[in-house]
Amino acid sequence: MPDFRTLLCSALVAGTALGGIALAPVALAQPAPAQPTVPAPVAEQGKPAAGSDAKTSDHTPTSQAPAPAGEAAAPVQGQGSAPAIQSDASSQAASTAQPDGADAELERGAYIATAADCVACHTQAGGKPFAGGMKIATPMGDVIATNITPDPEHGIGRYTEAEFDNAIRHGVRKDGSYLYPVMPYVSYAGMTDQDVKALYAWFMHVVKPVSEAPAETNLSFPASMRSAMVAWNFVTSKEQPETGDSSTYDTLRRGRYLANALEHCGTCHTPRNFMLSEKQDHYLAGASLGAWYAPNITSSKTGGIADWSEDDLVEYLRTGRVQGRAQAAGPMAEAVEHSTSHLSEADLHALAAFILKVAPMDDDADHTPRDASGKPVEVPDIRTKGPQRIDDLAEMDGPHIYDANCSACHGRDGAGTKDHYVPSLFANSTVGAGRPDNLIMTILKGVDRTAGKEHAFMPGFDGQSDVQRLSDAEIATLVNYVTATFGTGDHQVTPELVKSLRKDTPVTNPLAKDK
Amino acid sequence: MSSEQTLSADVVIVGSGVAGASIANELACAGISVIVLEAGPRVDRQHFVENFRNLENKPSYQEPFPAVPWARHPPNQITPNEYLHTTGPDAEAYQQVYLRMMGGTTWHWAGCAWRYLPSDFELKSRYGQGRDWALKYEDLEPFYYQAEVMMGVCGPDPAKEDLGSPRKQPYPMDALPISYAAQQFRKLIDEKTPWRVVHEPQARNTRPYDNRPTCEGHNNCMPICPIGAMYNGSYSVYHAEAAGAKFIPNAVVYKIERDSANKRVTGVQYYDPDKQSHRVTGKYFVIAAHCIETAKLLLVSADEQSPDGVANSSGHVGRNMMDHTGVQVTFISGDKALWPGRGPLETNVIDNFRDGDWRNERGAYLVHMVDDNQVDFATQMAISKGYVGRELEEQIRYLASHTVRLFSHNEALPDPENRLTLSKTNKDILGIPHPDVYYKLPEYTVKSCEHTRKVFKELIGLMHGTDEQWTPGYFPQDHPSGSTIMGTDPKDSVVDGHCRTHDHENLFIASSSVFSTVGTGNITLTVAALALRVADTLKKELLHA
């Protein structure tokens, strides 16, 4: 059978947000909950999430406040949201300055599009918004995102609302063929009728039509058989549609809606079974995306993020970084940049409150909180020799590779910069993780994340770097030095592991290239 | 002794600094086959960072780059040195340093990316001095902008701070923030003098740009930016390679071959480090090997057809050597602490003396308030004053925070007597002669420097300065230029307005060696703009042939 897991993972690595699948381990036949119920995998009712901040909302899951989402959680309604172009439709639905019905619907649609991160796949770097063309590499060929502008020829201009709904929530195109699950319809299946309607209105009336046809996806057999998706769709659990007005949900229901129907956290963070469906008994317990690793974000005290407060998580989702805890890079940086940094303050709190209540799952590799290790180091004197000839590119030892490539920004003692633009390497989830994958990937690919006014940037050190190209052996040596010095110990990373994560041509010895 | 295999490409480029590499990248991106021959090795940043940190003599920006024996460069800024031998009344004023390796000398520049003023191209017709270039500012303007985009140049909003070189587009990046020391200096100049301090345009990131990070102000742009925030020619080499150009390091070109009519270049020959000879043929050739090495290569290629050297029917190859030889003073301000050394090295300039009617008798100049860390200087001064123990520590702190360093770029004029020749006595391991340079500072520049000294003395007075330390004589700025001078008349110039040699229709030169005059701003951006214009010419001729 097609290796959908690889396909899915590859798509994620390419910066694609996929659909979250079912939250609850429900059978397909199970009816959708008509009323908000206790979200299945959250912490025990009434027990506050570890580390949650007293000033933020802690509604019990059964509370049924009719006010807009996060009413108590939001410091001030309509304020404090990221300077996004999108309006905060959900929080404005009940605000005093009520737009008329059509405007309100378009605002809601814009917000849903952002929260569901449509742009991530359907816009190429430097391309026109939603005109498609982005190649999502998979072992079976490139899945090419389609033009979803309202252009009648090349886009979705001729889709009726029902056909749009059929694609969004059921994975069936206007022509009746099946979408590949790279399109996260299994997640969007959880959207309310009202939100799908608003999304349709926004795409049809606000998105500018682009008369360009991206290339057709052409996968190798058997993935080329779109009909094979019928079988997969049958066995894969889908998010069940929510009901009513999603902007009026109480905090945890809103958080659950955001996490599953829109942001689809589980797509990356929940491991999958042999059928590539998410293992719901391991909800958000961490999964490899092939190269990057989406860590365990359950409330486990040893393997998860139980030591995070709701405010920490809100800050992380809004900015992509929390000093002393973690920074978003790779696919998560894109999710922050395109989606979570644009969420309203109320929604950020709702999402965070929900995530922090997810049932704890201990981790195979992380046995202490990932951000709890390390401290500033006493810097040894490594000045033992004079300048070497310019063609001496011999591999250096760990302390020297660190000194030459990392210390200028992260400090010789690993403390980062005082303004935290450059994070410390101790008390840092990427360094303290039991799995070195994300540290290796960060060194290879760097960090490039814009959220609000901050453009966080670290150059990559892979074979395309203009700053410095490090070999597999140099990166292995560096990672082992960094984890031994600032993390939980020498991870014994081998050059082969670095090579397997590196997607480009390794430059092992630049001189060898010239001979 | 030739290798069996002859390499060939549409365009063969000698040199991989900003000029050669940017041409290679432009042509390769246009689908033109390119070979870049670099005398020095492939290098990387991390080893230079370690070399710098291991270096005892931190102010030396040349010593972290010990040369390979087959492509020597000056080992330090000291006269005499083992490679570049200078003679004449102002021999020490022409002790230039540069680097021979992938990326060239931009490994240790300060990133100053000035456009020349329109008047700089017309010194003869406007002021009756020197020469006019065979092109005008307007001809170069689009290429200046292209170079700024390529290198990533930050600079001030022209509406707020007009630097005198008309722009059609804003700078690719916003200007650098002003350091504390520079703020103090600006305030003084604003309040107490008729002059002004402007943001120096810099090929340095003030935001993430071209997959490189924002400048963090490590203050060692020279000798090495540790994070790649500053432009370096190696980026263009990487980009050219990614676009398909072939880069051959350790290829020391020693011979430029021509056809029987001596009108077209047919190939070049290079030695590898083992002195095996290799031949490379092509349709076009670009020598982009730095002012000194370019002239040297044309001269060593002398043969029966061209007994004075290739492209040298005018006899001007190696002549008209110029620089921004200037004045330097360091002193201790009697006013409040400045704490220099926080931010890039060179960010603030007094630009009032870049142009004026007085240019009919003395050279223009610009003044740098150098924002470099002064702990080394302060420590030496405190020790020389006899301080010990806690007092020594206090003195170092006081002096390092109060030291002011000023230097100037003073305009030279092209004088044929200021000349590069081949050494008759010193040769490298491949048997290629070292360069010798005779230098006498033009009277025009001497007068300019006298004016600068007066201005510096006035500034020292305004800052209640003490402990003045004037650099003896004149201060070389490592901006050598003029050795293959541009002009319209083949009898007294080497290249035309498109940097094509008058003698050989398919031979171009991309270097500060083509400068007809040297203006006052750092030369690199003009080198890059001229190079991109050469690439444009080559593209037109190759793609529309």
Side-chain angles (χ1 to χ4, degrees), chain A residues 382-394 396 400-401 403-405 407-409 421-422 455 457 459 465-470 474 510-511 513-514, chain B residues 41-51 53-55 63 65-70 73 100-101 208 211-213 216 218 226-227 235 238-239 241 247 249:
Chain A
I382 57 171
R383 301 295 156 219
T384 55
K385 58 183 181 183
Q388 306 298 295
R389 211 167 81 174
I390 52 175
D391 59 339
D392 178 1
L393 304 186
M396 298 183 282
H400 283 90
I401 297 175
D403 186 77
N405 294 291
S407 70
C409 301
Y421 178 81
V422 179
H455 186 170
F457 187 89
S465 178
D466 285 348
V467 173
Q468 175 65 49
R469 300 177 177 194
L470 293 176
E474 286 170 325
L511 286 174
K513 197 176 165 185
D514 303 319
Chain B
R42 189 181 281 276
V43 295
D44 70 8
R45 182 180 312 276
Q46 58 176 345
H47 290 84
F48 295 154
V49 173
E50 286 307 288
N51 273 0
R53 294 195 180 145
N54 288 333
L55 188 70
E63 286 176 40
F65 305 94
V68 291
W70 56 87
H73 52 230
R100 293 176 74 190
M101 55 198 204
N211 288 315
R212 294 180 286 109
E216 295 173 327
H218 288 281
I227 63 170
Y235 312 149
Y238 285 139
H239 297 178
E241 281 189 292
F247 172 74

Side-chain angles (χ1 to χ4, degrees), chain A residues 200-272:
Chain A
Y200 176 76
W202 185 75
F203 267 104
M204 291 300 158
H205 298 299
V206 179
V207 172
K208 283 188 182 156
V210 178
S211 184
E212 286 172 9
E216 284 288 316
T217 295
N218 191 10
L219 298 186
S220 58
F221 183 84
S224 56
M225 293 172 61
R226 285 184 182 270
S227 55
M229 297 306 130
V230 178
W232 191 78
N233 285 340
F234 184 74
V235 298
T236 298
S237 52
K238 290 193 186 71
E239 190 69 6
Q240 298 303 310
E242 263 283 19
T243 55
D245 181 348
S246 67
S247 69
T248 63
Y249 295 166
D250 66 66
T251 299
L252 286 178
R253 186 179 172 196
R254 178 72 184 171
R256 175 189 180 281
Y257 184 68
L258 284 162
N260 296 316
L262 301 178
E263 297 287 357
H264 46 280
C265 311
T267 303
C268 294
H269 288 278
T270 302
R272 290 165 194 270

Side-chain angles (χ1 to χ4, degrees), chain B residues 404-425:
Chain B
V404 179
R405 180 154 84 102
L406 303 172
F407 68 60
S408 59
H409 289 176
N410 297 67
E411 183 178 23
L413 287 180
D415 178 351
E417 297 309 308
N418 286 330
R419 185 179 184 191
L420 180 149
T421 52
L422 301 176
S423 174
K424 292 186 172 61
T425 50

Side-chain angles (χ1 to χ4, degrees), chain A residues 97-119:
Chain A
Q98 271 197 359
D100 65 39
D103 284 353
E105 180 170 68
L106 293 179
E107 285 186 16
R108 177 186 287 258
Y111 190 79
I112 296 294
T114 299
D117 210 1
C118 310
V119 74

